[in-house]
Amino acid sequence: MAVSPIGMVVKAEYIWIDGSKPTQKLRCKTKILPNLEEVVELSELPVWGFDGSSTEQAEGHASDCALKPVNFFVDPIRGYPHVLVMTEVCDPLTMAPHSSNTRSPCVDMADKHVAEECWFGIEQEYTFFDGIKPLGWPDNGFPAPQGGYYCGVGADEVYGREIVEDHMDACLEAGLTFSGINAEVMPGQWEFQIGPVGAPDAGDELWIARWLLYRIAEDYGVSATLDAKPIKGDWNGAGAHTNFSTKAMREDGGLAVIEEACEKLGKRALIHVKNYGADIESRLTGAHETQRWDEFSWGVSDRGASIRIPWNVAIDKKGYLEDRRPNANADPYVICKLMIESICDL
Ligand code: ADP
Ligand code: MN
Ligand code: MN
Ligand code: MN
């Protein structure tokens, strides 16, 4: 790497979540940290700011918002010693969390229940687009109907694998708790999984993994969307199944605790659905491996249920549950906060 006459610098990519509605988006900008060899501690990363009037987070006459670093990762694109910095948006005068800041309430809820040792595993589905059509789709019309694409292999089945592999390597280099990838049911659609990991880390890591996905696909001239139902009709939507466990669920006798949690989730079903991402009614239709958004059910191995108890969990009689309802475009901080609240707090 070239060393400039003024010495070493660290390029710190400050990443934050904006105020876009109905779905908040990622934003980023680079801060040069001069005369620094590497970042060892969070406290070495200064508070920064941005123009909130351009991100739906402030009015023009009082436009400044503050960026408070809350987590950092090795930047796998620029390489060591450069970093990706997850930040929270705050009021510049008081440093109180901005109204668009969903991480702060997630941290409060997670802190309250550290003793339960909640873990999350989030399955992020997404769809690559080449201009206005999913990657690999014909210019006119549709590809062959769904059936062979899920976990497929071969140039006639999967599109964009080199991007997916690059993204996986980048997530691992960044040190994320990354657990796997697979091609999805609709051609051009893929999934990666983050976890199992606690909160708010599951949220930090998923947002950083999303940022890396957009950023890496950019180099291929491809865009990635988290749209819940990118193609209308007989094509699967995109979700963010969230696997959840507490220490008690993972220990002997855990299945009873899991079943109790399913009942608790049922009591607050609509609160969850309303906070699980924009356009959720178009995805949770009762078809395409979903339960309807306005119905609630749970069951072993049931992919048409709201909550699934995986077969291995039913056999072991302990483990975790899978909430199948969150959309691909859901905010993981909101999901984690709600799950801890419904299962551990109420
Ligand atoms: P599916 O069979 O639904 O496709 P995946 O294998 O894609 O499931 O994802 C399962 C996720 O659950 C992974 O991210 C994994 O890390 C996570 N997971 C495994 N065990 C636990 C657990 N005890 N608590 C929470 N998450 C878990
Ligand atoms: Mn999966
Ligand atoms: Mn999937
Ligand atoms: Mn799943």
Side-chain angles (χ1 to χ4, degrees), residues 6-320:
I6 55 161
M8 290 290 290
V9 304
V10 168
K11 297 174 194 165
E13 192 70 12
Y14 276 53
I15 296 172
W16 75 98
I17 299 165
D18 74 4
S20 297
K21 293 187 178 78
T23 304
Q24 292 175 263
K25 287 195 322 168
L26 286 164
R27 307 273 180 150
C28 54
K29 57 176 184 166
T30 309
K31 186 170 190 60
I32 300 297
L33 304 176
N35 305 316
L36 192 63
E37 275 179 36
E38 64 172 348
V39 181
V40 181
E41 283 178 18
L42 198 58
S43 61
E44 292 173 285
L45 296 163
V47 169
W48 203 15
F50 67 98
D51 168 14
S53 69
S54 300
T55 62
E56 297 179 55
Q57 283 161 310
E59 302 291 334
H61 60 270
S63 65
D64 285 322
C65 287
L67 291 175
K68 180 174 90 174
V70 289
N71 208 342
F72 69 97
F73 304 85
V74 169
D75 180 344
I77 295 170
R78 291 172 173 150
Y80 173 89
H82 308 298
V83 289
L84 304 178
V85 184
M86 193 65 205
T87 66
E88 278 185 18
V89 177
C90 294
D91 180 295
L93 299 176
T94 64
M95 289 311 279
H98 187 269
S99 59
S100 63
N101 177 342
T102 56
R103 186 181 187 276
S104 178
C106 176
V107 171
D108 292 344
M109 184 58 70
D111 283 352
K112 198 172 160 192
H113 292 280
V114 272
E116 281 101 323
E117 296 183 26
C118 299
W119 290 359
F120 298 85
I122 307 181
E123 305 168 48
Q124 176 71 67
E125 294 178 341
Y126 61 92
T127 312
F128 284 135
F129 268 74
D130 173 13
I132 58 164
K133 62 186 176 65
L135 186 65
W137 285 41
D139 285 334
N140 292 302
F142 294 90
Q146 294 183 161
Y149 305 111
Y150 170 73
C151 295
V153 59
D156 54 340
E157 300 271 5
V158 298
Y159 308 101
R161 192 187 293 277
E162 61 278 67
I163 312 174
V164 172
E165 292 280 334
D166 273 7
H167 174 250
M168 174 161 60
D169 287 344
C171 288
L172 292 171
E173 255 176 75
L176 305 187
T177 321
F178 196 86
S179 47
I181 56 168
N182 61 269
E184 269 304 335
V185 175
M186 185 179 99
Q189 208 169 69
W190 292 85
E191 168 181 318
F192 66 84
Q193 304 106 28
I194 292 290
V197 65
D201 305 75
D204 292 348
E205 294 194 21
L206 187 65
W207 278 113
I208 292 290
R210 287 172 173 179
W211 186 88
L212 283 168
L213 180 67
Y214 297 135
R215 176 62 192 83
I216 288 166
E218 193 183 300
D219 285 348
Y220 289 86
V222 168
S223 63
T225 177
L226 306 184
D227 253 25
K229 191 78 178 178
I231 304 292
K232 307 295 170 217
D234 201 12
W235 301 97
N236 270 35
H241 298 169
T242 301
N243 301 272
F244 174 87
S245 65
T246 59
K247 188 162 181 277
M249 293 179 183
R250 297 187 293 269
E251 289 176 346
D252 286 347
L255 188 58
V257 185
I258 292 169
E259 289 172 350
E260 202 184 312
C262 292
E263 292 295 325
K264 286 180 176 178
L265 288 170
K267 294 207 175 89
R268 302 222 308 160
L270 268 186
I271 296 173
H272 282 255
V273 164
K274 289 211 166 92
N275 287 284
Y276 276 179
D279 213 16
I280 197 160
E281 298 87 348
S282 70
R283 174 176 152 264
L284 299 184
T285 58
H288 303 112
E289 304 169 57
T290 67
Q291 173 58 286
R292 285 182 55 87
W293 66 272
D294 54 357
E295 283 176 31
F296 180 85
S297 62
W298 60 273
V300 174
S301 291
D302 187 353
R303 286 191 159 70
S306 317
I307 312 288
R308 176 176 69 111
I309 297 176
W311 62 273
N312 50 308
V313 175
I315 289 173
D316 295 347
K317 299 198 165 24
K318 60 184 172 186
Y320 60 98

